[in-house]
Amino acid sequence: MYKKIYIKTWGCQMNKYDSNKIVSYLLSSSKKYHLVNSLLNSDIIILNTCSVRKKAEDKLFNYLNIIKKIKQIKNKLIVILCGCVATKEKEKLFNKFNIIDIICGTQNIKNIPLLIKKFIKNKKKILNIKFINKIKKNVNFINNKNNFIYNTFITIMEGCNKFCSYCIVPYTRGKQISRLPEDIISEINYLVSKGICEINLLGQNVNSYCSYLSNKKKCNFSYLLNLISEINGIKRIKFTSSHPINFTKDIFLCYKNISKIVDYLHLPVQSGSDRILNIMRRNYNIDYYKNIIYKLLDIRPNILFGSDFIVGFPSENKYDFKLTLNLIKEIKFDNSYVFIYSPREKTKAFYMKDDISILEKKKRLYKIQKLLNKNYIYWSKKMVNSIQKILVEGYTKRNNYYYGRCFNNKIVYFKNNENNLIGKIINIKIINNKKNLLYGIIL
Ligand code: SAM
Ligand code: SF4
Ligand code: F3S
């Protein structure tokens, strides 16, 4: 009997990468498994969850209420909850939502095929949450069509030892573990053989990657970047998220020497106020952060920066907030994210007074969003009339436009009659910027 699997993913790119892995594990474990796009039409529902903010958890709980109704009709439906909420809440979730059959931790997803078999046999709820703190072995994705177009993410390290005062991730992803360099290289070689030409290295703090080669030689992030750059088929290298504190001298050298590293860096700063950064336990100040930015601009004058910002952190006053606005104006961050502070149990900040009203938090969020939008348009307008090399990512049927990304990560739309441009790097002249979208023509 075929089993139809529906998988829903919330959260960061690492969760998306993990969902692809789950699908690969399942499809390679049995020919009976099939992936479907419809929740109603499924036999097994897998929910890969995020708990970084309360809002993410609320979305999951609403979704579980919908599944509850489906399970009333389809009582054989198997519901699996994995990811960060699973790891954080553990068996408590069985009490809260009786419909969940299997709870599986972030470091245990490889077991999912086995857990399903066990559940079908014994009909008993299963909890499998254990920090293995072991390096994960190579996973070669199979059958998951979306992976094999032109670019993909690849996790190189997982977990976090930094314990910023607001963040739940160290509790849901465990201690920092870096994958073996040879494993990463062999996975990238495999992906290149399937047509991948752009790789996006993933990690909670990707630039704190540190491992050892089989000859016992140390392999830090810059060493790994050099190894990857030597792979012929790889044309572009991206990575996310970097932590300012791990932005060491050798990484600057990579920007100098490795032309495949793109002209875009996502470097979350969180706040423009040294006082707030200190309470957030970020371990750097704004001068240190700006020094990274200006050094990189010296090496790569066209580089654009992105960041994450938290507004309404406990005790953030108007002056602290103004400093954040000033920083955004000065650096002119491009594509960035801003979040309202959300107290998370277990974290240090949870025990501080959440003293900024929601109205004020929303006002600050809106102000930053407005400024970021202005920056976004500023950079887009600057690109009009320039010639850009873009990697074609896709095609929108709605208005027959192709789209692709420039070397600085900006998206450009263009028309073309030729087929099969997807995955190719082509030259485009940007001709205008309409409603926040860049349009170009092929040269
Ligand atoms: N490791 C990355 C770093 O240190 O910059 C960030 C990883 S975290 C999963 C992604 C973003 O979520 C953070 O940069 C932060 O802005 C935001 N975030 C984390 N905890 C939060 C909280 N409690 N409330 C609001 N935003 C939060
Ligand atoms: Fe969270 Fe800080 Fe670790 Fe980033 S560095 S994942 S914000 S604890
Ligand atoms: Fe969310 Fe976990 Fe990622 S909490 S942001 S899915 S590491």
Side-chain angles (χ1 to χ4, degrees), residues 52-53 166 204-205 268 270 282 308 310 339-340 342 344:
V52 74
R53 285 167 289 276
Y166 51 85
Q204 260 81 39
N205 294 295
Q270 313 298 352
R282 291 291 289 180
D308 293 349
I310 296 178
F339 308 107
I340 286 180
S342 170
R344 308 311 287 140

Side-chain angles (χ1 to χ4, degrees), residues 99-354:
I99 52 160
I100 301 171
D101 301 304
I102 299 170
I103 296 177
C104 177
T106 48
Q107 294 195 12
N108 315 100
I109 53 174
K110 205 173 183 172
N111 302 337
I112 287 180
L114 201 74
L115 300 178
I116 295 177
K117 267 191 192 159
K118 247 186 177 173
F119 178 79
I120 292 174
K121 192 169 166 220
N122 302 332
K123 300 275 172 322
K124 276 190 185 147
K125 290 189 187 295
I126 304 176
L127 176 75
N128 183 205
I129 289 174
K130 209 172 169 191
F131 280 144
I132 307 166
N133 290 333
K134 240 171 63 186
I135 300 159
K136 282 181 189 159
K137 281 278 175 196
N138 224 3
V139 203
N140 286 338
F141 292 123
I142 60 149
N143 275 350
N144 209 354
K145 283 180 204 142
N146 291 336
N147 284 317
F148 293 137
I149 305 174
Y150 51 87
N151 70 2
T152 193
F153 290 95
I154 163 166
T155 294
I156 62 163
M157 59 80 68
E158 214 182 315
C160 179
N161 300 342
K162 295 211 166 29
F163 291 90
C164 297
S165 62
Y166 51 85
C167 184
I168 193 72
V169 170
Y171 305 92
T172 62
R173 288 278 169 180
K175 281 190 194 142
Q176 172 173 327
I177 311 162
S178 296
R179 286 180 62 193
L180 292 173
E182 280 99 347
D183 254 11
I184 296 169
I185 297 298
S186 95
E187 185 171 339
I188 297 178
N189 276 324
Y190 172 75
L191 293 165
V192 166
S193 77
K194 297 282 169 194
I196 295 293
C197 63
E198 178 184 283
I199 207 84
N200 199 334
L201 308 174
L202 281 184
Q204 260 81 39
N205 294 295
V206 74
N207 56 335
S208 67
Y209 173 88
C210 193
S211 184
Y212 290 88
L213 291 151
S214 50
N215 63 8
K216 305 269 187 305
K217 201 175 164 192
K218 195 170 164 179
C219 178
N220 62 10
F221 186 58
S222 61
Y223 197 98
L224 183 72
L225 284 175
N226 277 289
L227 290 179
I228 295 171
S229 73
E230 282 161 18
I231 300 175
N232 260 340
I234 291 297
K235 306 271 183 262
R236 286 182 177 185
I237 303 172
K238 298 179 173 177
F239 44 86
T240 192
S241 275
S242 298
H243 196 293
I245 214 68
N246 299 109
F247 221 93
T248 45
K249 278 187 191 146
D250 44 336
I251 303 178
F252 290 104
L253 272 183
C254 291
Y255 274 90
K256 217 178 205 163
N257 299 330
I258 306 176
S259 58
K260 293 178 180 182
I261 298 177
V262 297
D263 270 347
Y264 174 80
L265 175 67
H266 185 74
L267 191 66
V269 64
Q270 313 298 352
S271 167
S273 153
D274 286 345
R275 190 183 74 82
I276 294 294
L277 286 177
N278 186 34
I279 317 174
M280 284 179 165
R281 299 181 57 178
R282 291 291 289 180
N283 285 319
Y284 53 80
N285 61 23
I286 287 304
D287 281 347
Y288 170 91
Y289 182 87
K290 284 205 267 192
N291 194 32
I292 301 177
I293 300 285
Y294 288 115
K295 265 192 187 161
L296 279 170
L297 277 168
D298 265 352
I299 304 169
R300 296 274 188 101
N302 294 324
I303 193 166
L304 296 184
F305 297 100
S307 179
D308 293 349
F309 302 92
I310 296 178
V311 289
F313 187 79
S315 86
E316 184 191 61
N317 58 37
K318 295 223 155 116
Y319 179 64
D320 295 315
F321 180 63
K322 192 166 170 254
L323 292 172
T324 305
L325 293 178
N326 289 348
L327 183 75
I328 298 173
K329 284 180 198 156
E330 181 178 339
I331 308 297
K332 287 209 170 57
F333 290 100
D334 192 48
N335 201 15
S336 300
Y337 303 91
V338 46
F339 308 107
I340 286 180
Y341 167 68
S342 170
R344 308 311 287 140
E345 228 176 307
K346 287 188 182 168
T347 64
K348 275 240 150 72
F350 185 77
Y351 302 97
M352 297 173 69
K353 197 168 170 214
D354 185 15

Side-chain angles (χ1 to χ4, degrees), residues 375-434:
N375 290 349
Y376 188 86
I377 295 170
Y378 169 84
W379 289 117
S380 297
K381 278 194 173 158
K382 260 192 112 155
M383 287 168 70
V384 175
N385 288 327
S386 70
I387 292 167
Q388 303 282 335
K389 272 200 169 4
I390 69 159
L391 171 61
V392 184
E393 293 198 353
Y395 175 76
T396 53
K397 271 192 191 146
R398 203 161 51 91
N399 47 14
N400 301 328
Y401 273 103
Y402 279 94
Y403 59 91
R405 270 180 205 269
C406 303
F407 202 57
N408 65 4
N409 215 35
K410 288 276 205 190
I411 298 184
V412 182
Y413 292 82
F414 63 98
K415 283 231 161 133
N416 186 55
N417 299 328
E418 240 182 80
N419 281 330
N420 292 336
L421 277 183
I422 295 169
K424 292 196 176 127
I425 293 180
I426 58 167
N427 281 326
I428 286 274
K429 179 169 178 182
I430 312 279
I431 50 166
N432 63 22
N433 173 49
K434 252 195 274 168

